């Protein structure tokens, strides 16, 4: 019965095909697997989705050019809803799926929870957005890299600028008692206290929205501060600066991204002149940024969301490191990340010993003639 | 002790206190007449500042001189704010005059939120720069680093407003009607006082002082947004309670005490707990003088 035999043969063939498919991943890799983890649903989804889209765009481009090490890149996307307790499961799933490198996680808490699992499995993780300083500085996670500046980067830049460029000694540190401002002021105070050249003459929180700050301004004057480092936002900053200048005080005023806002100049007007503020480096004129944003608009019909450039850069850096390393070996990838420069929307970057991207982050700006100008 | 530092803190506290006082007067007047804590008072002040900003902006474009702008912007702010105060009373408080006091209080909170959001939507949520409408006096040049002309103007305005209101209440016909209404509304009505009119006038006067405050404070600080009325309003309310709500000199004294407390505490101890200390002080005063520093003992009318 020819027909019967043919039927059996068919079943056999199909079964064989299934087996082959199932055995595929185990038999090492005809694809490079890039895991993407972050919140893709829930309240914080808007922080995670742009990273997935960035990864999709990068992978599409790279695959169109022949992939990495001659293999196609495959995306494996897992949702951690930004929760540490979910993130460990997400990490376990990604490790189980055999990812080579991971782009993520998005939130600092979730990243920290997941990192141990990747570390044990020797997988490199790169976050576009986790800014907690300890993630890199503690040295506990040699497998962790990031393409965003850590939370204390602004404070560090402010302190270094005050001590090295302005060469001041007596510094008053103020903050607005909020999470952002106080966090920053605490970092700044920490850096200043470690430096023998500086003296913190005043460290105080002010009440946001108060009708005036004349008492605090008097205090700055009395302590003979040569510079004020302020952590907070522009409404309070403009009140303080205005009152300082009206009292003929010449102390430098150095602040942060919350003040590097055109509203500050609009409100403080002539008193804003000469104020220093740190802000993210301007990458909008980088041709790669322009290209990446255009790709996003073409593919998804909208402008990209939060951390898109950082994620785009991270995906490029990870895949470039594998290509340069010549394998998916953990040590080789780490070495490539630390030594090989890669061209990204954030500029040409590589990573330092701790995992922070060199050349990414903040620059110092000064108000000159009613505009924030980068201080070179 | 460093006397100059003390003096500077004293002046800083005086400025703050005078700012609170311009608002506290309106609170205390309305409370005195109809026992209503008008939570929308801070918003009336904010609307005054916005009106002045818009008027001053237009006049500056037309090239008017500074003093004329200050006067016209202040008048516009006073008229506009008074209209809001008058309308708010007619719409939100009058229908509730015989309802339990809590209902009127909730209604006041409602008006406050409504006005805040109305300005937020009609104008902007951004901080806006407020022009310095108060001219710099030549004779103050030598002491400019200690006291500025805008501060002097604020002190003077507060003093004048306080004296004028006291005269109004003590010696004029409408003042007499006000006092009568405050003592016993029904009785006042029986002897022919037009209570509705008295209450409207009270709201108009209260709103007018708030608007003046709005113009002066905004040009002293140099920025406004839709939310400034809230914190200023709360502080002024506290000051009015501290001084004895319902009493004019009490409102001013309470405001000054609050301003000095904040200023000296910030100057000599720390600004971190400025509000905490101000409120501890309030609690202490209210423990020992439950009706405020200058408040009369008020036996409840049953």
């Amino acid at each position: 019965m020819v027909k019967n035999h043919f039927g059996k043969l068919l079943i056999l063939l199909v079964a064989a095909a299934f087996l082959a498919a199932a055995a595929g991943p185990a038999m090492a890799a005809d694809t490079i697997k890039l895991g993407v983890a972050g919140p893709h649903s829930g309240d914080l989804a808007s922080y995670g989705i742009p990273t997935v889209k960035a990864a999709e765009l990068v992978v599409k481009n790279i695959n169109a050019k022949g992939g990495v090490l001659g293999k196609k890149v495959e995306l494996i996307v897992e949702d951690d809803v930004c929760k540490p307790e979910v993130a460990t499961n997400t990490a376990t799933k990604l490790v189980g799926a055999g990812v080579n490198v991971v782009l993520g996680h998005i939130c600092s808490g979730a990243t920290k929870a997941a990192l141990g699992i990747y570390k044990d499995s020797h997988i490199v993780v790169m976050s576009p957005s986790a800014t907690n300083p300890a993630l890199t500085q503690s040295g506990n996670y040699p497998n962790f890299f990031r393409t965003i500046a850590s939370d204390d980067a602004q404070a560090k830049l402010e302190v270094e600028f005050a001590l090295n460029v302005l060469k001041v000694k007596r510094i008053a540190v103020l903050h607005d008692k909020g999470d952002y401002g106080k966090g920053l002021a605490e970092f700044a105070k920490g850096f200043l206290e470690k430096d023998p050249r500086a003296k913190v003459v005043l460290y105080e929180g002010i009440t946001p929205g108060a009708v005036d700050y004349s008492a605090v301004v008097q205090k700055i004057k009395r302590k003979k501060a040569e510079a004020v480092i302020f952590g907070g936002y522009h409404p309070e900053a403009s009140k303080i600066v205005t009152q300082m200048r009206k009292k003929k005080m010449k102390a430098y005023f150095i602040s942060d991204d919350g003040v590097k806002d055109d509203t500050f100049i609009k409100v403080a007007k002539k008193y804003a002149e000469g104020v220093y503020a740190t802000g993210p480096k301007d990458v909008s004129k980088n041709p790669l940024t322009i290209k990446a944003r255009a790709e996003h608009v073409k593919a998804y019909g909208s402008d990209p969301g939060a951390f898109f450039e950082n994620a785009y850069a991270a995906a490029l850096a990870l895949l470039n490191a594998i290509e340069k390393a010549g394998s998916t070996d953990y040590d080789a990838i780490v070495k490539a990340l630390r030594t090989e420069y890669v061209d990204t929307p954030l500029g040409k970057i590589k990573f330092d010993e701790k995992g922070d991207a060199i050349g990414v982050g903040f620059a110092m700006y000064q108000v000159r003639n009613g505009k924030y100008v980068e201080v070179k | 002790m460093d006397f100059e530092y003390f003096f500077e803190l004293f002046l800083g506290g005086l400025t703050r206190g005078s700012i609170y006082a311009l608002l506290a007067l309106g609170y205390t007047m309305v409370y005195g007449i109809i026992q209503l804590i008008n939570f929308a008072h801070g918003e009336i002040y904010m609307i005054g500042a916005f009106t002045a900003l818009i008027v001053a902006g237009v006049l500056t474009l037309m090239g008017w001189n500074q003093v004329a702008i200050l006067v016209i912007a202040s008048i516009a702010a006073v008229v506009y704010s008074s209209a809001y105060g008058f309308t708010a009373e007619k719409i939100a408080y009058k229908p509730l005059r015989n309802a339990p006091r809590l209902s009127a209080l909730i209604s006041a909170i409602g008006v406050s939120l409504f006005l805040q959001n109305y300005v937020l939507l009609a104008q902007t949520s951004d901080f806006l720069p407020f022009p310095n409408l108060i001219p710099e006096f030549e004779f103050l040049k030598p002491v400019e680093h200690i006291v500025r002309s805008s501060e002097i103007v604020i002190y003077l305005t507060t003093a004048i407003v306080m004296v004028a209101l006291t005269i109004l209440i003590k010696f004029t016909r409408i003042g007499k009607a006000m006092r009568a209404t405050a003592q016993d509304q029904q009785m006042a009505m029986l002897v022919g006082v037009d209570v509705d009119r008295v209450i409207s006038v009270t709201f108009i006067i209260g709103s007018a002082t708030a608007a003046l405050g709005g113009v002066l404070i905004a040009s002293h600080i140099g920025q406004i947004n839709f939310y400034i009325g809230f914190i200023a309003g709360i502080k002024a309310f506290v000051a009015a309670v501290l001084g004895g709500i319902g009493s004019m000199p009490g409102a001013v004294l309470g405001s000054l005490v609050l301003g000095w407390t904040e200023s000296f505490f910030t100057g000599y101890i720390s600004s971190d707990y400025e509000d905490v200390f101000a409120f501890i002080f309030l609690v202490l005063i209210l423990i020992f003088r439950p009706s405020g520093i200058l408040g009369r003992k008020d036996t409840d009318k049953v």
Side-chain angles (χ1 to χ4, degrees):
Chain A
M1 299 276 262
V2 181
K3 204 178 174 185
N4 221 350
H5 280 294
F6 181 70
K8 275 179 188 161
L9 192 67
L10 198 68
I11 289 167
L12 249 164
L13 270 173
V14 170
F18 265 112
L19 270 175
M27 290 179 354
D30 39 9
T31 60
I32 299 285
K33 291 194 174 61
L34 171 63
V36 180
H40 306 136
S41 61
D43 295 344
L44 300 171
S46 60
Y47 289 136
I49 302 281
T51 296
V52 178
K53 292 188 169 158
E56 281 171 2
L57 292 171
V58 170
V59 165
K60 201 171 94 190
N61 286 345
I62 287 193
N63 282 344
K65 285 181 200 148
V68 173
L69 303 176
K71 297 171 193 167
K72 293 272 179 225
V73 179
E74 184 188 346
L75 273 185
I76 300 178
V77 178
E78 280 293 338
D79 188 0
D80 73 0
V81 290
C82 247
K83 292 191 175 139
E85 65 273 20
V86 180
T88 50
N89 287 337
T90 311
T92 313
K93 266 193 218 163
L94 286 174
V95 171
V99 294
N100 300 108
V101 286
V102 173
L103 169 59
H105 296 210
I106 300 298
C107 301
S108 289
T111 308
K112 187 163 185 234
L115 271 176
I117 293 167
Y118 297 121
K119 187 182 162 192
D120 293 340
S121 315
H122 287 293
I123 292 171
V124 167
V125 180
M126 190 179 290
S127 171
S129 59
T131 52
N132 185 324
L135 287 174
T136 52
Q137 289 165 15
S138 68
N140 291 339
Y141 305 107
N143 60 328
F144 180 69
F145 296 83
R146 61 179 155 207
T147 51
I148 190 161
S150 71
D151 284 334
D152 62 359
Q154 288 196 68
K156 191 163 199 167
L157 181 59
E158 286 170 22
V159 167
E160 281 172 358
F161 188 81
L163 298 180
N164 299 337
V165 182
L166 302 175
K167 302 204 189 301
V168 290
K169 290 183 187 68
R170 302 175 64 83
I171 297 175
V173 180
L174 300 180
H175 59 82
D176 66 356
K177 296 196 257 192
D179 280 346
Y180 172 72
K182 189 172 184 193
L184 228 143
E186 272 170 1
F187 286 129
K189 184 170 160 249
F191 290 131
L192 285 169
E193 279 168 353
K194 267 185 241 153
D195 199 308
R197 288 174 294 170
K199 185 162 188 281
V200 179
V201 292
L202 182 65
Y203 177 75
E204 285 210 348
I206 56 160
T207 307
V211 291
D212 78 345
Y213 296 110
S214 60
V216 171
V217 169
Q218 297 296 359
K219 224 170 168 175
I220 297 171
K221 188 171 158 192
R222 189 172 184 232
K223 302 273 184 184
K224 300 193 172 58
E226 296 164 284
V228 176
I229 291 182
F230 175 71
Y233 298 97
H234 62 82
E236 284 71 37
S238 56
K239 281 188 209 171
I240 296 173
V241 167
T242 305
Q243 283 190 327
M244 277 170 61
R245 299 300 181 241
K246 282 188 178 167
K247 300 265 181 209
K248 310 279 173 216
M249 291 162 60
K250 299 223 157 39
Y252 296 111
F253 192 86
I254 308 168
S255 195
D256 51 43
D257 196 24
V259 172
K260 205 208 146 258
D261 183 307
D262 288 339
T263 315
F264 172 72
I265 302 176
K266 210 174 82 190
V267 171
K269 285 175 287 203
K270 65 177 177 182
Y271 301 112
E273 282 299 310
V275 164
Y276 294 100
T278 54
K281 278 192 182 148
D282 183 14
V283 295
S284 64
K285 290 185 185 69
N286 186 323
L288 268 173
T289 310
I290 295 167
K291 184 169 151 269
R293 296 185 78 94
E295 279 169 12
H296 189 283
V297 172
K298 198 173 152 223
Y300 305 106
S302 64
D303 279 327
F307 309 121
F308 175 77
E309 284 90 1
N310 304 72
Y312 201 97
L316 282 175
L318 283 170
L319 296 176
N320 176 68
I322 295 175
E323 181 79 50
K324 292 276 161 61
S327 79
T328 54
D329 176 55
Y330 170 74
D331 292 321
I333 296 177
V334 169
K335 185 160 172 272
L337 284 171
R338 287 184 185 153
T339 51
E340 300 286 346
Y341 273 103
V342 54
D343 219 357
T344 73
L346 304 178
K348 258 188 170 5
I349 58 170
K350 69 174 186 177
F351 297 83
D352 66 15
E353 286 297 305
K354 303 217 152 149
D356 280 314
I358 299 169
V360 164
F362 293 95
M364 185 58 81
Y365 295 83
Q366 187 183 26
V367 182
R368 288 180 194 157
N369 300 322
K371 267 203 204 83
Y372 271 113
V373 183
E374 195 175 332
V375 181
K376 302 281 183 201
Chain B
M1 205 158 76
D2 183 346
F3 183 73
E4 189 183 325
Y5 185 58
F6 175 85
F7 188 62
E8 282 170 344
L9 290 178
F10 176 85
L11 285 181
L14 187 62
T15 309
R16 263 196 182 204
S18 306
I19 288 173
Y20 295 150
L22 281 173
L23 296 178
L25 283 169
Y27 265 111
T28 216
M29 263 181 89
V30 168
Y31 186 87
I33 307 279
I34 54 170
Q35 281 79 50
L36 167 76
I37 298 166
N38 182 14
F39 271 111
H41 195 64
E43 269 53 60
I44 299 288
Y45 145 78
M46 179 264 296
I47 285 176
F50 264 91
T51 311
L53 175 68
I54 294 166
V55 172
V58 172
L59 294 183
T60 309
L61 278 184
M62 289 161 63
W64 290 44
N65 86 4
Q66 202 178 10
V67 178
I69 292 177
L70 174 65
V71 171
I72 293 178
S74 303
I75 291 172
V78 164
V79 170
Y80 211 71
S81 288
S82 301
Y84 268 94
F86 175 80
T87 316
E89 194 269 329
K90 286 280 178 263
I91 293 174
Y93 308 143
K94 196 178 167 213
L96 293 170
R97 200 167 294 160
N98 296 316
R101 259 197 231 170
L102 260 185
S103 313
L105 187 72
I106 303 284
S107 185
I109 294 173
V111 173
S112 161
L113 289 176
F114 173 83
L115 290 178
Q116 248 177 49
N117 285 287
Y118 159 69
V119 174
L120 167 66
L121 293 173
Q123 295 292 329
T124 168
S125 63
D126 281 347
F127 275 87
L128 298 171
F130 197 95
N132 187 12
L133 296 177
I134 301 168
E136 303 287 342
F137 302 133
E138 269 313 312
F139 66 88
L140 279 177
K141 271 270 184 274
V143 288
E144 208 181 31
H145 62 288
I146 298 172
V147 62
R148 286 158 43 206
S149 48
S150 64
E151 291 171 307
I152 300 270
V153 171
I154 289 176
Y155 307 152
L156 287 178
T157 310
T158 306
I160 292 169
V161 166
M162 185 187 74
V163 170
L165 285 182
T166 311
I167 291 173
L168 179 95
I169 286 174
K170 285 245 162 85
F171 302 110
T172 64
R173 220 179 135 73
I174 183 78
K176 208 180 254 178
M178 278 178 174
R179 279 182 290 149
T181 311
Q183 270 180 14
D184 190 331
Q185 240 180 66
Q186 220 161 7
M187 201 55 213
M189 228 181 301
L190 283 176
V191 297
V193 172
D194 186 347
V195 170
D196 280 344
R197 190 168 149 263
V198 168
I199 292 173
S200 288
V201 169
T202 308
F203 268 88
I204 288 173
I205 296 174
S207 305
T209 57
L212 269 184
V215 178
L216 295 181
I217 298 164
S219 62
H220 173 67
I221 299 172
Q223 57 177 299
I224 58 172
N225 84 341
F226 73 96
Y227 201 62
I228 51 167
F230 180 73
I231 294 176
I234 292 282
K235 282 285 175 68
F237 171 61
V238 169
V241 172
L242 192 64
I245 194 152
S247 148
M248 292 282 163
V252 175
L253 183 64
S255 302
L256 292 177
V257 167
L258 186 66
W260 279 322
T261 311
E262 289 180 350
S263 186
F264 285 124
F265 187 72
T266 302
Y268 285 115
I269 306 175
S270 164
S271 66
D272 286 88
Y273 300 98
E274 177 188 288
D275 285 354
V276 177
F277 194 78
F279 282 87
I280 288 176
F281 199 64
L282 172 75
V283 169
L284 283 179
I285 286 193
L286 292 186
I287 287 174
F288 294 108
R289 287 196 64 92
S291 45
I293 303 173
L294 294 185
R296 281 166 298 151
K297 264 236 169 81
D298 212 11
T299 38
D300 254 325
K301 291 168 279 187
V302 185

